[in-house]
Amino acid sequence: MSDAPLFEPRPPDLPGLWIKDSGPENDVVVSSRMRLARNLRGYHFKPRQEEDEGKRLTEHLHGVLSGLDHDLRWFDMEELSPTLRLVLFERHLVSREHVDDERPRGLAYTTDGTVGVMVNEEDHLRFQVFAPGLNLEAISERIEALDNEVASRVEYSFSEQYGYLTSCPTNTGTGLRVSVMLHLPALAYRTSTSNDDEPGIVKVNNAAQQLGLTVRGIHGESSKAEGDFFQISNQVTLGRSPDQAVGDLRDMLGQVIEWERQVRQILLEDDRLSVEDLVLRSWAVLRHARRIASEEALQLLSSVRLGACLGLIDGVGVTTIHDLMVSMLPGHLQFRDRAKLSPDERDAMRATLIRNALAHSGPTS
Amino acid sequence: MSDAPLFEPRPPDLPGLWIKDSGPENDVVVSSRMRLARNLRGYHFKPRQEEDEGKRLTEHLHGVLSGLDHDLRWFDMEELSPTLRLVLFERHLVSREHVDDERPRGLAYTTDGTVGVMVNEEDHLRFQVFAPGLNLEAISERIEALDNEVASRVEYSFSEQYGYLTSCPTNTGTGLRVSVMLHLPALAYRTSTSNDDEPGIVKVNNAAQQLGLTVRGIHGESSKAEGDFFQISNQVTLGRSPDQAVGDLRDMLGQVIEWERQVRQILLEDDRLSVEDLVLRSWAVLRHARRIASEEALQLLSSVRLGACLGLIDGVGVTTIHDLMVSMLPGHLQFRDRAKLSPDERDAMRATLIRNALAHSGPTS
């Protein structure tokens, strides 16, 4: 880590927390995200870079990105405090590797937080665009526009045979990853309680596999699905066009969203008392706990989210829950309090944050 | 079991639920209880009785008990429905053995439920007197009066050398068992978290042992301390007078009550947030759950009881909690609903009962 102080003397404005806004199919879909990996001809891929080359590349791209129409704000990563880096990581604007790396690298983002560009991460450029709910068309257009603007100012590493070349071959071709975060509590519940051959999440996994899509937990690769939040994303970047990748994902998502909605209704009809019990206990604990760890909070927020969607809980929408899912994380709590907090202190502050956010909610009477 | 219908055509009046009343030292002491074992000369002890002898004995004692000044109501056990027997068991007026036995036997109790006499249980007569809180003098006087009245009408099995003779030698001598139900959540918490050589409950156990007292869980012999409720009782009936037994217990109780109160205050000063968290989560779940098993309910009621005593929860007193601890039991739920309930149905009804009872309570603001 760098020698930067724990906090900036004056904190920079954080990017907007776009996940607080509502989006299409928000009852099941939390958010959509697209990223594009690009590299510049004339510079080595990251693993073979000298310090000086990384510096030149970063400065070059700083200049390029600052000249675009997208109103991107630029930051040298080493100038950001550890706490702010953690906040940006928790908002998915930077990867864990980009936080911890010590080589020259940068970050640009829009003030609304929906567009971010990592410079000299695994690839020279990693564009990211985010949107609440299911919004693949909008983010697709936006990332394409960004890509085109940059392409007109630099020369990308590109092969007629393979497409865009990348540091890791798994991204070669389109360099595109599309991923959508889903909340599938009913399918997950059915998976753990059903005797079907192909219950709930298993069915989702099988359908995903046939389309070359992967299903992962909230924290990305090989993570389990905490709080019943699942990321579905494309796996293949070679030999499929961006439009095909988006199309495959959209078709499958339509199905999964319908399955989840159907099973929610079935649960409510067949086992209403169990669903109510789960939802109301979860809400009650969040509304009254004086300390809570983030794993438990995520699990309980997941149940409250289900309750809000099913009309069992009033006065709290899914967007408040999405906000809490980010705001309750360690970096955000410390940034907010401008203090390094012990885990115990964070648990207490997290409980207060959630308690207050749910103050005007309650069981539907 | 007998052929009695599951419910009476008209339910008999239940005895009063005296535990709803408040008593001395109620912050730590739930209830006091005394029982006296007596046998009649001229009848065999239970194990050697013929059917006919048991019947004669029961009829004899029915006559004796009905003639006393104590306003005892008489029941032949075989005439009571299984549900009502279970209710009386849950109120400690009969033992499990007295419920399940198929031989002639009876039960007499006062309408306020504070005095009960089992006839032809393990011994010919088992007098019991109950009181809320710590009230050894009052119940001692009352059981003595009852014993004296009966003694003037029958001839007890008595030996100059050993005292009162009993079916099981562990009761021979005074035939007296005094037991007090304590709520020791702070000492139990300290036991599980402390590094002391002699923390919390261990200290209580050691002190008890030195005085020939035993410490057990809420459900009697060899049960663990569910919900941090402990029964302390005398062990020795031979060679110690009733007054000595009561005196030993009272001395020790005074100490234990003080320890528990001190540790409650220490916890509140040293670790207020943990105590608040435990209490408020427990209250919140009880206030909102839609189904709950009795073990979980007991554990949560225990924490709410602590919270009520520490002023962290308003609008619910210890007596309401004592009432719930009995009213939520399976027999009571079924008697109340006049229906045989499945465990799932009981869990739902229990949740409703508790939720309503706590409707006007809440965290102290």
Side-chain angles (χ1 to χ4, degrees), chain B residues 110-176:
Chain B
T110 56
T111 50
D112 68 358
T114 59
V115 176
V117 189
M118 284 186 280
V119 166
N120 212 21
E121 201 245 15
E122 183 179 301
D123 294 295
H124 298 162
L125 282 163
R126 286 268 176 125
F127 301 108
Q128 291 196 99
V129 179
F130 308 90
L134 184 63
N135 222 332
L136 298 179
E137 287 69 20
I139 60 176
S140 186
E141 276 174 29
R142 189 131 187 228
I143 209 162
E144 204 178 316
L146 193 60
D147 186 36
N148 289 340
E149 275 197 69
V150 173
S152 70
R153 288 166 167 82
V154 302
E155 193 178 355
Y156 285 150
S157 275
F158 185 81
S159 139
E160 285 300 329
Q161 187 179 356
Y162 298 114
Y164 293 98
L165 302 178
T166 52
S167 183
C168 174
T170 55
N171 296 313
T172 298
T174 59
L176 180 73

Side-chain angles (χ1 to χ4, degrees), chain B residues 191-216:
Chain B
T191 306
S192 64
T193 59
S194 166
N195 294 319
D196 287 1
D197 277 349
E198 203 189 25
I201 297 302
V202 177
K203 194 169 171 184
V204 174
N205 263 313
N206 291 347
Q209 230 159 30
Q210 284 172 18
L211 289 165
L213 303 174
T214 54
V215 181
R216 298 177 301 179

Side-chain angles (χ1 to χ4, degrees), chain A residues 108-342:
Chain A
Y109 57 73
T110 55
T111 49
D112 68 357
T114 60
V115 175
V117 188
M118 284 186 279
V119 166
N120 213 22
E121 202 245 16
E122 183 180 301
D123 294 295
H124 298 162
L125 282 163
R126 286 269 176 124
F127 301 109
Q128 289 196 100
V129 179
F130 307 90
L134 183 64
N135 221 333
L136 298 179
E137 288 69 21
I139 61 177
S140 186
E141 277 175 29
R142 189 131 188 229
I143 209 162
E144 205 176 318
L146 193 61
D147 185 35
N148 289 339
E149 274 197 72
V150 174
S152 71
R153 288 164 165 83
V154 303
E155 193 178 356
Y156 284 150
S157 274
F158 184 81
S159 141
E160 287 299 330
Q161 188 180 356
Y162 298 113
Y164 293 98
L165 301 178
T166 52
S167 183
C168 174
T170 55
N171 296 312
T172 297
T174 60
L176 180 73
R177 170 146 297 165
V178 195
S179 65
V180 172
M181 172 93 73
L182 302 174
H183 184 224
L184 306 177
L187 287 170
Y189 182 86
R190 179 55 66 98
T191 307
S192 65
T193 58
S194 163
N195 293 320
D196 287 0
D197 276 351
E198 202 188 26
I201 298 302
V202 177
K203 192 170 171 183
V204 173
N205 264 315
N206 291 346
Q209 230 158 31
Q210 284 173 17
L211 290 164
L213 303 172
T214 55
V215 181
R216 297 177 303 180
I218 194 169
H219 293 303
E221 318 210 3
S222 78
S223 69
K224 69 182 186 66
E226 287 163 31
D228 303 326
F229 292 99
F230 296 84
Q231 284 187 61
I232 300 194
S233 57
N234 68 316
Q235 209 164 13
V236 182
T237 53
L238 198 63
R240 285 191 87 67
S241 73
D243 287 351
Q244 280 174 318
V246 171
D248 288 347
L249 195 59
R250 193 178 34 217
D251 290 349
M252 192 217 165
L253 287 173
Q255 272 188 34
V256 173
I257 292 168
E258 273 319 299
W259 286 341
E260 171 66 20
R261 284 180 184 151
Q262 280 168 18
V263 178
R264 285 184 189 179
Q265 287 311 317
I266 290 169
L267 284 181
L268 209 52
E269 281 158 31
D270 291 1
D271 202 5
R272 186 179 184 98
L273 202 67
S274 292
V275 177
E276 286 183 347
D277 187 57
L278 175 71
V279 166
L280 296 173
R281 280 173 178 248
S282 301
W283 172 84
V285 170
L286 289 174
R287 183 68 193 87
H288 292 285
R290 259 48 184 174
R291 59 169 43 152
I292 192 162
S294 44
E295 298 75 26
E296 186 192 5
L298 182 62
Q299 195 62 55
L300 298 177
L301 284 170
S302 166
S303 299
V304 172
R305 192 186 188 285
L306 175 64
C309 291
L310 293 177
L312 301 175
I313 296 279
D314 268 346
V316 57
V318 295
T319 53
T320 299
I321 292 164
H322 299 165
D323 180 355
L324 287 172
M325 283 167 62
V326 176
S327 307
M328 74 176 191
L329 296 173
H332 278 74
L333 293 177
Q334 298 188 95
F335 192 85
R336 181 195 178 95
D337 205 46
R338 307 279 303 153
K340 178 101 180 128
L341 302 170
S342 70

Side-chain angles (χ1 to χ4, degrees), chain A residues 271 273-274 276-277 280-281 283-285 288-293 296 300 344 348 351 363, chain B residues 271 273-274 276-277 280-281 283-285 288-293 296 300 344 348 351 363:
Chain A
D271 202 5
L273 202 67
S274 292
E276 286 183 347
D277 187 57
L280 296 173
R281 280 173 178 248
W283 172 84
V285 170
H288 292 285
R290 259 48 184 174
R291 59 169 43 152
I292 192 162
E296 186 192 5
L300 298 177
D344 271 359
Chain B
D271 201 6
L273 202 67
S274 294
E276 286 183 346
D277 188 56
L280 295 174
R281 280 173 178 247
W283 172 84
V285 171
H288 292 285
R290 259 47 184 175
R291 59 168 44 152
I292 193 161
E296 185 190 6
L300 298 177
D344 271 359

